[in-house]
Amino acid sequence: MKTLLCFGTRPEAIKMAPVISALKNNHLDYEVCVTGQHREMLDQVLEFFEIKPDYDLNLMQKEQSLNSLSALILEKTNVVLKEAKPDLILVQGDTTSAFIAALAAFNRGIKVGHIEAGLRTQNLQSPFPEEANRQLLSRIADFHFVPTHSNKVNLLKEGVSVDKIFITGNTVIDALKMAEKKLNSGFENDELIKLKKLLIKNKETLLVTGHRRESFKSGLGEICKGLREFAERNDVQIIFPVHLNPEVRRKVFKILDNHPNIHLIEPVSYPSFVWLMMQASVIISDSGGVQEEAPSLKKPVLVTREFTEREETVIAGFSTLVGTSGEMLLKKLKGILENPPNFTGVQNPYGNGTAAQKIVEIIKYQNV
């Protein structure tokens, strides 16, 4: 059996890296195809995890639309599938690259395995277009690798056969443990050295990320205004690796630039971001991956979204939904810094870092 792993963004690469490692360690036949729309950020992850793609479609274009990107992925992935002739394609998450690559495989009669299946908000506009991508993907996938029991329940409600659903945990925890091991073994680069010099040790560190399309109109601006106000405190420092999306950058720099307690920096490599999470007192983010990783580091997350498909972290107390209200953000930030949560003994609902090996074991014994 031959497996093709297809992905295009940095988060996908991070979560696929442990699966690639597990396939290699189990001596299984596989190839890697990257669509490449997150060019710089993707390459950083590939280098860190020592992944050499067999196919690189390099589809990144300036300010490309979802429709043009989708058309390119469908066309170029079809060529790869024709040449590679895999028995199974593995895609991850809910990106456009994941859904369209899966669609290309489905159209050619190739089995589809969906890693991180079963996440739902039931609101097609939040997150957009990810919620639609994941729901559509579930209609054509043959194997659904879900992080948690509640994800399995979501799929069962939609009529997915129980024998095609496998609870594995989330591979992002595997990747996090791989990164922690490297960092604790003395891994360092110029970027990490600069970050260590940038942060002041006796200040509370607020790590911020933001990239969701549904926040572009007004939500991101409101969050930035709240952060600007909170930065007036002398005991805090805000560090914000700003996403490369032009709309995100315009809004963030307009509101948050030129403040002594706010550091707007370029997107950092994966190991640097893991290190920043380790230093943070609180993380403010609309990222799904951050919501999954933070519990393993015992860090609270203020989720700047109206909905989350990672409800398990809210239930466990690690995440709090603040929406896109600057006022709510200020209130929750103040509360966390005055009364830091105690996560001693609370386990990460997304597993302990064995998801990739579980997925590979399932693949080995399936009749693909």
Side-chain angles (χ1 to χ4, degrees), residues 195 198-199 205-209 237-242 261-265 268 273 275-276 280 284:
L195 288 174
L198 180 65
L199 296 185
T205 299
L206 281 58
L207 174 61
V208 184
T209 75
Q237 57 188 341
I238 296 172
I239 185 157
F240 192 157
V242 186
N261 291 333
I262 301 175
H263 306 292
L264 302 180
I265 63 174
V268 295
F273 190 75
W275 183 84
L276 284 173
I284 301 133

Side-chain angles (χ1 to χ4, degrees), residues 63 242 245-255:
E63 299 193 32
V242 186
N245 184 290
E247 286 194 60
V248 173
R249 296 178 74 83
R250 279 192 290 267
K251 192 155 289 186
V252 169
F253 276 93
K254 180 180 179 181
I255 300 173

Side-chain angles (χ1 to χ4, degrees), residues 118-123 126 131 134 147-151 153-154 157 287-288 291-292 295 303 305-321 347-350:
L119 280 70
R120 295 290 186 271
T121 65
Q122 303 302 344
N123 181 337
S126 181
E131 178 68 11
R134 60 171 76 113
T148 69
H149 177 73
S150 65
N151 302 144
V153 171
N154 288 338
K157 288 178 179 178
S287 164
Q291 293 173 64
E292 295 155 352
V303 183
R305 294 174 58 195
E306 302 296 337
F307 307 91
T308 181
E309 52 287 282
R310 276 85 176 176
E311 295 176 351
E312 295 88 351
T313 62
V314 177
I315 294 169
F318 290 105
S319 296
T320 302
L321 284 170
Q347 300 301 310
N348 190 331
Y350 297 109

Side-chain angles (χ1 to χ4, degrees), residues 167-368:
I167 300 176
T168 61
N170 198 304
T171 59
V172 76
I173 309 306
D174 305 38
L176 180 65
K177 289 184 176 296
M178 292 166 71
E180 278 190 291
K181 184 177 180 181
K182 279 197 172 187
L183 287 167
N184 292 333
S185 298
F187 175 88
E188 201 168 53
N189 55 25
D190 291 341
E191 184 180 61
L192 263 175
I193 293 170
K194 288 179 181 178
L195 288 174
K196 290 177 180 179
K197 291 179 180 178
L198 180 65
L199 296 185
I200 300 172
K201 290 184 178 180
N202 63 351
K203 286 193 174 189
E204 302 281 3
T205 299
L206 281 58
L207 174 61
V208 184
T209 75
H211 72 282
R212 294 283 183 185
R213 289 176 184 266
E214 69 263 26
S215 299
F216 285 1
K217 290 183 180 179
S218 61
L220 182 59
E222 291 302 310
I223 291 298
C224 287
K225 290 175 184 176
L227 290 171
R228 180 98 187 183
E229 183 175 341
F230 201 75
E232 296 302 314
R233 291 178 48 150
N234 291 324
D235 63 334
V236 302
Q237 57 188 341
I238 296 172
I239 185 157
F240 192 157
V242 186
H243 198 276
L244 294 177
N245 184 290
E247 286 194 60
V248 173
R249 296 178 74 83
R250 279 192 290 267
K251 192 155 289 186
V252 169
F253 276 93
K254 180 180 179 181
I255 300 173
L256 295 180
D257 204 11
N258 297 317
H259 192 291
N261 291 333
I262 301 175
H263 306 292
L264 302 180
I265 63 174
E266 293 300 303
V268 295
S269 63
Y270 180 60
S272 293
F273 190 75
V274 171
W275 183 84
L276 284 173
M277 286 196 292
M278 293 166 68
Q279 312 312 308
S281 303
V282 59
I283 304 172
I284 301 133
S285 180
D286 58 13
S287 164
V290 168
Q291 293 173 64
E292 295 155 352
E293 293 165 315
S296 290
L297 300 173
K298 308 300 183 185
K299 303 293 182 179
V301 181
L302 297 181
V303 183
T304 53
R305 294 174 58 195
E306 302 296 337
F307 307 91
T308 181
E309 52 287 282
R310 276 85 176 176
E311 295 176 351
E312 295 88 351
T313 62
V314 177
I315 294 169
F318 290 105
S319 296
T320 302
L321 284 170
V322 297
T324 53
S325 164
E327 182 180 348
M328 179 63 74
L329 176 64
L330 288 170
K331 178 181 177 181
K332 294 298 182 180
L333 276 174
K334 184 179 179 182
I336 285 177
L337 293 188
E338 289 179 355
N339 297 289
N342 183 359
F343 296 131
T344 303
V346 184
Q347 300 301 310
N348 190 331
Y350 297 109
N352 57 6
T354 59
Q357 182 58 36
K358 289 177 181 176
I359 290 169
V360 170
E361 289 292 333
I362 292 164
I363 290 172
K364 284 170 65 175
Y365 296 107
Q366 291 301 309
N367 182 25
V368 177

